[in-house]
């Protein structure tokens, strides 16, 4: 009788330990996703901070590009005030497009392209765009790993009862960015 | 990504175990040799032999010398431990100061700083590595630092000057991949083990040489076969142990090099950046000052390669040409694409662990170049005319069922063309292509297409064989475009392809892509 009781108690303790281990693993992975998202957030803020400077510098040279500049400013304002992964993706995608158009227009102003201040800003912008891209890549990798884990057995049981939810992928809704620039061989 | 590191670590543990066994065995052999050969007193042996009426056999003598064997093994491990400890505590600072590197701040080289930050994000490193510049005209870069969170990357000033942004990014991605994959830590460990083995083997050989000279006369009288057997075993060990350790070490180092390339392609999503950088570095490598064997594996290209190019088995780095070829024949930027390209190029083996490949479920696509790498070579008159003509001649346009427009340039010689998107085969209307070629011939100017056609029949002029003529293709639009390599294989360019060269998927020839549209808007 006592032995049966001890075996049962032992089994319960084992199961509990096992659940705790899975729970900790899930928490760790969820934090990884959170950290990855924080990294994207930092880079998006960095981009928002760069834009006023860039617009100011371009304004001095490209006097005929009001429309393009205004589009960038309003896209930025919209992006700053948007929250949530999916909504932010849309707003940031639009901002990317507006910025892309601006950088294309800039090609027509050789004086501007020779300006040291502008060149430095351009490097910062290039780097920021890259960072957003790489941070997004890292974030999506983490999300994929996390989503796979919470949907596979036995983790899904623990995840379900403790309310772990699928994380969203961050995809910029920019056609130019999404369309894979690739070389195909036939 | 994570799985890559784990499988890497498993493999590394094996190497460390084998090398460690080798090290301990060598220590034991040294202990035994010193005891049985160098400290062996023939007179004493004869005396005890007479007293007991028994001559000790080889096994008995080994058993007698077991204490010395233990001491030998202990000393071997101690030497390794001390060297390792000094490397861990001060390794990278010695390395960096010996390479005359100076640490930079953000404002010293903002672009370099930015690129390192970008790659830190892409690799998901906890902390950005410190950045050093080595004042040297040679082109090289390396990673240092025992702990991935306290690592450092160094580039030569020559490298900084000669590479464009994408290329620099490729190189730094490779170095940061070394840090991320724990290569720095592991290679330090293995390099020191190798160094200890080589040192001990050297010591053993010397000891036998000097010891043997002193007692050649006496040992013959005793007729001690055990001593001769021990000398043979010791000799074998002294020669084979370092060789084996080196082969193991270099094989692992090469594998890590491929893996760092694969990771770099995945981090940057732009394999061409690293490929083109390697090409430049290979063309003008130059040995960075004060480089020694121990740090060689951490460089992007082995700076000491020249000395050791004869024996591939003993090379820390795979042949650069092969690395470039693999990177350039990648169809995507992920591990899957690298593995495929690796197998195609090497025809054997595998590079990336199966787990890593399985973990990477979605294909990683190649991004566009961030810099326009237009070659600044002025055009000859003939080429200028050719370019204008190429531009004026009409395309053959086919519309595929999937909606893709296939634009075949004049001179397309195959009867069919494959749609790059859906893979459907299309018949090419012969009359149109023939007509275009006729126009070109009448004007007496070779178009890129007709030249390619000529080059494809090498019998005409053996001096100008197709192989040593750089293939070129002048691009005319920004849509999908297909042309034929001189080997006859079709090559497709996507609208987003902006690099300056492309490799033929079949014959691997480099084909220079001249962008006519970029040219037109620039002037
Ligand atoms: Zn390397
Ligand atoms: Zn070819």
């Amino acid at each position: 009788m006592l032995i049966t009781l001890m075996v049962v108690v032992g089994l319960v303790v084992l199961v509990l330990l096992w659940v705790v281990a899975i729970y900790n693993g899930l928490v760790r992975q969820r934090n990884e996703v959170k950290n990855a998202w924080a990294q994207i957030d930092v880079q998006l803020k960095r981009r928002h901070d760069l834009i006023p400077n860039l617009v100011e510098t371009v304004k001095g040279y490209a006097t005929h590009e009001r429309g393009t500049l205004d589009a960038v400013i309003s896209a930025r304002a919209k992006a700053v005030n948007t929250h949530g992964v999916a909504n932010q993706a849309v707003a940031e995608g639009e901002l990317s497009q507006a910025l892309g158009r601006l950088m294309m227009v800039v090609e027509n102003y050789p004086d501007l392209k020779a300006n040291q201040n502008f060149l430095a800003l351009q490097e910062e912008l290039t780097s920021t765009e890259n960072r957003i891209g790489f941070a997004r890549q890292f974030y999506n990798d983490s999300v994929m790993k996390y989503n796979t884990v919470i949907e596979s057995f036995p983790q899904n049981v623990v995840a379900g009862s403790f309310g772990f939810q699928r994380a969203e992928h961050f995809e910029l809704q920019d056609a130019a960015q999404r369309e894979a620039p690739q070389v195909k061989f036939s | 990504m994570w799985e890559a590191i784990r499988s890497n670590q498993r493999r590394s543990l094996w190497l460390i175990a084998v090398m460690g066994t080798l090290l301990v065995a060598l220590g034991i052999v040294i202990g035994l040799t010193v005891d049985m050969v160098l400290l062996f007193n023939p007179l004493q042996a004869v005396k005890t032999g007479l007293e007991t009426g028994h001559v000790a056999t080889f096994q008995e003598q080994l058993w007698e010398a077991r204490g010395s064997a233990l001491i030998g093994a202990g000393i071997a491990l101690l030497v390794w431990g001390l060297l390792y400890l000094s490397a861990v505590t001060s390794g990278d600072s010695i390395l960096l100061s010996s390479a005359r590197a100076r640490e930079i701040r953000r404002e010293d080289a903002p672009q370099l700083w930015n690129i390192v930050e970008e790659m830190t994000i892409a690799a998901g490193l906890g902390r950005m590595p410190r950045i050093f510049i080595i004042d040297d005209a040679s082109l090289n870069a390396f990673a240092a630092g025992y702990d991935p969170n306290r690592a450092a990357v160094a580039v030569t000033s020559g490298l900084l000057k000669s590479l464009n942004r994408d290329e620099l990014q490729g190189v730094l991605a490779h170095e940061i991949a070394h840090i991320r994959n724990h290569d720095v830590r592991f290679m330090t460990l293995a390099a020191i083990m190798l160094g200890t083995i080589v040192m001990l083997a050297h010591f053993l050989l010397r000891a036998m040489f000097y010891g043997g000279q002193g007692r050649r006369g006496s040992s013959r009288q005793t007729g001690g076969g055990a001593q001769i057997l021990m000398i043979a075993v010791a000799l074998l060990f002294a020669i084979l142990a370092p060789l084996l350790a080196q082969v193991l070490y270099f094989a692992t180092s090469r594998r890590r090099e491929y893996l760092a390339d694969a990771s770099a392609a995945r981090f940057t999503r732009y394999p061409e950046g690293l490929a083109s950088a390697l090409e430049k570095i290979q063309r003008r490598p130059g040995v960075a000052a004060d480089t020694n064997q121990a740090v060689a594996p951490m460089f992007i290209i082995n700076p000491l390669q020249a000395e050791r190019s004869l024996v591939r088995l003993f090379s820390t780095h795979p042949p650069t040409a092969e690395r470039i070829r693999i990177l350039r024949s990648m169809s995507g930027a992920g591990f899957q694409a690298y593995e495929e390209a690796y197998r195609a190029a090497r025809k054997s083996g595998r590079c990336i662990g199966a787990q890593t490949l399985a973990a990477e479920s979605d294909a990683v696509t190649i991004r566009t170049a961030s810099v326009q790498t237009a070659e600044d070579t002025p055009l000859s008159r003939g080429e200028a005319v050719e370019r204008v003509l190429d531009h004026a001649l009409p395309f053959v346009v086919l519309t595929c069922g999937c909606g893709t427009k296939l634009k075949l340039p004049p001179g397309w010689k195959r009867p069919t063309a494959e749609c790059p998107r859906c893979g459907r085969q299309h018949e090419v209307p012969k009359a149109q292509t023939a007509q275009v070629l006729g126009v070109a011939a009448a004007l007496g100017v070779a178009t890129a297409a007709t030249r390619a056609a000529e080059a494809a029949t090498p019998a005409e002029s053996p001096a100008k064989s197709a192989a040593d003529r750089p293939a070129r293709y002048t691009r005319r639009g920004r849509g999908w475009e297909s042309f034929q390599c001189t080997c006859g294989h079709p090559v497709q360019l996507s609208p987003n392809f902006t690099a300056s060269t492309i490799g033929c998927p079949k014959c691997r020839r480099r084909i220079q892509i001249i962008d006519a549209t970029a040219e037109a808007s620039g002037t």
Side-chain angles (χ1 to χ4, degrees), chain A residues 127 131 137 181-184, chain B residues 114 117-118 266 366 494 497:
Chain A
S127 182
R131 286 163 203 227
Q137 192 173 316
Q182 65 190 132
V183 184
K184 279 257 187 161
Chain B
N114 274 340
E117 262 184 14
E118 287 163 24
R266 196 172 195 275
I366 299 172
S494 98
F497 182 79

Side-chain angles (χ1 to χ4, degrees), chain A residues 4-186:
Chain A
T4 339
L5 193 71
M6 272 166 73
V7 167
V8 168
V9 168
L11 277 177
V12 167
V13 167
L14 268 181
V15 167
L16 275 179
L17 282 177
W18 184 61
V19 168
V20 166
I22 288 181
Y23 179 80
N24 283 341
L26 288 172
V27 168
R28 192 174 42 80
Q29 289 210 353
R30 191 170 59 183
N31 283 342
E32 219 167 79
V33 170
K34 265 189 201 153
N35 288 342
W37 174 255
Q39 187 60 256
I40 295 187
D41 224 33
V42 167
Q43 299 312 329
L44 291 177
K45 286 225 172 60
R46 196 183 133 99
R47 172 155 86 165
H48 299 159
D49 294 346
L50 267 172
I51 289 170
N53 250 330
L54 183 79
V55 167
E56 216 40 56
T57 312
V58 173
K59 217 184 251 171
Y61 291 84
T63 38
H64 305 296
E65 312 294 347
R66 267 246 85 88
T68 319
L69 287 169
D70 286 345
V72 171
I73 294 167
S74 65
R76 174 188 177 271
K78 202 174 148 203
V80 168
N81 295 316
T82 311
H83 301 284
V85 175
N87 293 336
Q88 239 169 310
V90 174
E92 293 296 338
E94 278 164 20
L95 179 56
S96 285
Q97 275 176 329
L99 274 173
R101 273 196 297 278
L102 178 64
M103 294 328 268
M104 244 155 73
V105 160
V106 156
E107 292 295 311
N108 301 324
Y109 298 87
D111 287 350
L112 178 58
K113 281 173 72 186
N115 180 312
Q116 283 305 317
N117 189 20
F118 174 73
L119 285 178
L121 275 170
Q122 197 179 25
E123 161 61 27
E124 288 313 305
L125 192 68
T126 306
S127 182
T128 308
E129 295 294 314
N130 282 347
R131 286 163 203 227
I132 293 171
F134 297 135
R136 184 168 64 98
Q137 192 173 316
F138 188 73
Y139 169 77
N140 285 343
D141 279 358
S142 312
V143 166
M144 204 187 73
K145 205 177 141 213
Y146 169 74
N147 284 348
T148 315
V149 167
I150 63 168
E151 273 160 23
S152 54
F153 187 81
Q155 285 94 331
N156 59 354
V157 180
V158 180
S161 41
F162 287 99
F164 283 86
Q165 272 161 6
R166 279 179 63 89
E168 272 178 286
H169 282 265
F170 184 71
E171 296 296 350
L172 285 186
Q173 302 299 306
D174 178 353
Q177 251 171 313
R178 269 192 320 162
E179 197 152 297
Q182 65 190 132
V183 184
K184 279 257 187 161
F185 302 127
S186 57

